[in-house]
Amino acid sequence: MKNLTFSFFILFLLGSHSNAIEIDYCVGDPSLPRGPQGYGCKDSSTLTVDDFIFTGFRGKKSITNIFQNNITTATVIEYPALNGQGISMARLDFGVGGVIPVHSHRTSEIIVVVKGTIIAGFIDTNNTAYYKTLEVGDVMIFPQSMLHFQVNVGRTVATAYVSLNGANPAVQLTPPSLFAGNLPAELASQITLLSRKEVMRMKRLFGTA
């Protein structure tokens, strides 16, 4: 009986740790309900090679926002073929002096610079900042959920590509979270130790005051 129980235990462990899949892919169908594992699958009989291609990174990007950047995302929302694949990408374009402000994801991120010079870094839970000037071809990892940022410190526009280990990594930009939403100025002042005057200046920058 003991041997039989042990055998069932081993089978359970093997089954619970299996990475086997029953289908090759599941191109997301945004018209179907979305659950914790992503979208339901598009009918495989209707798929073509174009369902697996994303062309959104092509061409020159317009840089007009307050941070002087342009972020082109290729998550499952824009690129349904990523559904269930555990990966996504983004193209980052920086104007001169442009930044990707402090932000976080629910995933890890890796960046490679393809044009220009940037400073990239992250801040860990001990409040230690790890940052360095990156040149073309340099790569840096930002651990999962850590606050991180990028700044163009060159004299020309800069471009980088990032990959994240989630099909829908989400992003929370710290400045807009504090000053572009519905958080009252009084509370924003209290939790940031900024004066109400400075908080209102920030809210005006984001058009919420």
Side-chain angles (χ1 to χ4, degrees), residues 42-200:
K42 189 174 179 180
D43 183 352
S44 60
S45 68
T46 68
L47 296 178
T48 71
V49 66
D50 290 333
D51 286 292
F52 300 93
I53 305 297
F54 178 77
T55 60
F57 291 158
R58 292 180 181 177
K60 185 177 180 180
K61 303 301 180 182
S62 175
I63 299 173
T64 59
N65 66 27
I66 190 173
F67 295 114
Q68 286 297 293
N69 71 39
N70 184 290
I71 303 173
T72 307
T73 55
T75 71
V76 69
I77 297 170
E78 302 85 12
Y79 191 7
L82 299 182
N83 193 51
Q85 299 297 327
I87 192 170
S88 57
M89 293 185 68
R91 170 178 164 173
L92 312 179
D93 290 277
F94 305 79
V96 176
V99 306
I100 308 294
V102 173
H103 64 284
S104 63
H105 309 279
R106 50 184 172 232
T107 63
S108 305
E109 176 182 332
I110 193 166
I111 187 171
V112 57
V113 180
V114 298
K115 183 178 181 180
T117 304
I118 68 172
I119 289 178
F122 69 90
I123 304 167
D124 70 12
T125 55
N126 293 315
N127 294 326
T128 301
Y130 297 90
Y131 58 95
K132 192 174 181 68
T133 300
L134 303 182
E135 306 286 348
V136 172
D138 290 345
V139 176
M140 185 173 185
I141 183 74
F142 308 117
Q144 182 174 348
S145 301
M146 296 292 98
L147 292 171
H148 56 287
F149 56 88
Q150 296 92 29
V151 181
N152 182 0
V153 292
R155 297 182 179 180
T156 64
V157 297
T159 302
Y161 288 92
V162 299
S163 182
L164 306 101
N165 62 337
N168 185 25
V171 59
Q172 185 170 29
L173 298 171
T174 303
S177 294
L178 290 169
F179 308 113
N182 65 344
L183 186 68
E186 292 74 15
L187 276 177
S189 178
Q190 285 179 302
I191 65 177
T192 62
L193 300 182
L194 295 174
S195 68
R196 192 179 189 283
K197 180 179 179 181
E198 180 62 16
V199 168
M200 293 306 296

